[in-house]
Amino acid sequence: MTIVITREWQFGFHGVTLLWFRSYLSGRSYRVWFADEASRTVHVICSVPQGSVHGPRLFIMYSVDLADKAAEHDINFHGYADDTQLCVHCRPEETAPTTAKLERCITDMDNWMSANRLKLNMEKTELLWAGTRYDMSMLNDSGPSLQLNNVTVKASQHVCVLGVPSFFGSESGQTRFQCQCDLLLSSSSTQMHPVFA
């Protein structure tokens, strides 16, 4: 909570708005009811209310420093709630230094997260090398792995983007991702056509 409150200057909160956030995040407790019995009351000293409308926004405010960590390594950062993507461009012959740069960046982010009561979920960490068919053939179609602490993250041709499986690789001269996008767009335009008619 303290980190979110101290970001008032960064996000422009002041006056009544800041007081509202302090009230919303301070002095919270919870307990669980099951079979007519209640658990003991737990006082919440960190975190945001799960399932709340403000939860994703507050999490982004809390973890905004992760974007700065990525920028320190010259890596693009995309985040939505607790889903984070790092993107970097390189030529096939630059994959070794790019891999090392990604490893350093993710290690710095992991250290920041540990210091701020968050945990990087290595089991959900995915790596994708994307490129032209020629570039991917130079990488044996998948590319090098990342070594993060004691975990090896192997490159894959499919990853989840905001929980949606996305496939990359070649399929009759067109990337699977392009095929998936075309299918999604044609499906959504069919579904949305009556809305615009």
Side-chain angles (χ1 to χ4, degrees):
M1 179 203 59
T2 306
I3 291 176
V4 173
I5 298 301
T6 58
R7 298 206 187 281
E8 64 184 86
W9 60 270
Q10 195 169 6
F11 291 96
F13 295 140
H14 56 287
V16 173
T17 305
L18 180 60
L19 292 174
W20 182 85
F21 271 104
R22 282 190 179 146
S23 171
Y24 181 69
L25 295 171
S26 301
R28 295 182 41 248
S29 63
Y30 75 92
R31 63 182 175 167
V32 177
W33 284 87
F34 181 75
D36 295 329
E37 291 193 32
S39 68
R40 66 180 178 83
T41 299
V42 176
H43 297 280
V44 181
I45 58 171
C46 63
S47 182
V48 297
Q50 295 296 309
S52 70
V53 171
H54 300 295
R57 287 187 180 119
L58 291 171
F59 184 82
I60 289 169
M61 289 170 53
Y62 184 81
S63 61
V64 72
D65 289 342
L66 291 175
D68 295 336
K69 291 288 175 200
E72 288 172 13
H73 293 275
D74 197 28
I75 292 177
N76 295 316
F77 173 92
H78 303 278
Y80 177 77
D82 63 349
D83 192 8
T84 301
Q85 295 176 350
L86 301 176
C87 304
V88 64
H89 178 269
C90 72
R91 291 183 165 80
E93 62 273 10
E94 298 169 338
T95 55
T98 301
T99 300
K101 181 165 74 166
L102 273 169
E103 290 171 344
R104 286 189 304 272
C105 178
I106 294 170
T107 298
D108 282 355
M109 292 175 116
D110 187 33
N111 292 338
W112 182 91
M113 292 172 83
S114 294
N116 289 280
R117 299 180 178 186
L118 296 173
K119 182 181 184 303
L120 176 62
N121 188 341
M122 291 296 183
E123 290 77 34
K124 289 187 174 181
T125 300
E126 299 173 311
L127 173 64
L128 170 79
W129 293 95
T132 66
R133 280 191 292 172
Y134 175 76
D135 288 345
M136 294 308 294
S137 70
M138 294 177 66
L139 299 177
N140 297 322
D141 289 328
S142 61
S145 300
L146 294 176
Q147 189 62 44
L148 304 170
N149 297 327
N150 298 329
V151 177
T152 300
V153 178
K154 293 184 178 181
S156 175
Q157 290 189 355
H158 65 278
V159 296
C160 282
V161 179
L162 294 174
V164 177
S166 299
F167 300 93
F168 295 77
S170 62
E171 188 173 282
S172 67
Q174 190 179 29
T175 66
R176 288 186 202 156
F177 183 68
Q178 288 170 326
C179 292
Q180 185 176 352
C181 288
D182 291 347
L183 179 64
L184 182 63
L185 287 172
S186 67
S187 171
S188 64
S189 66
T190 302
Q191 298 294 325
M192 294 177 71
H193 180 70
V195 174
F196 297 114

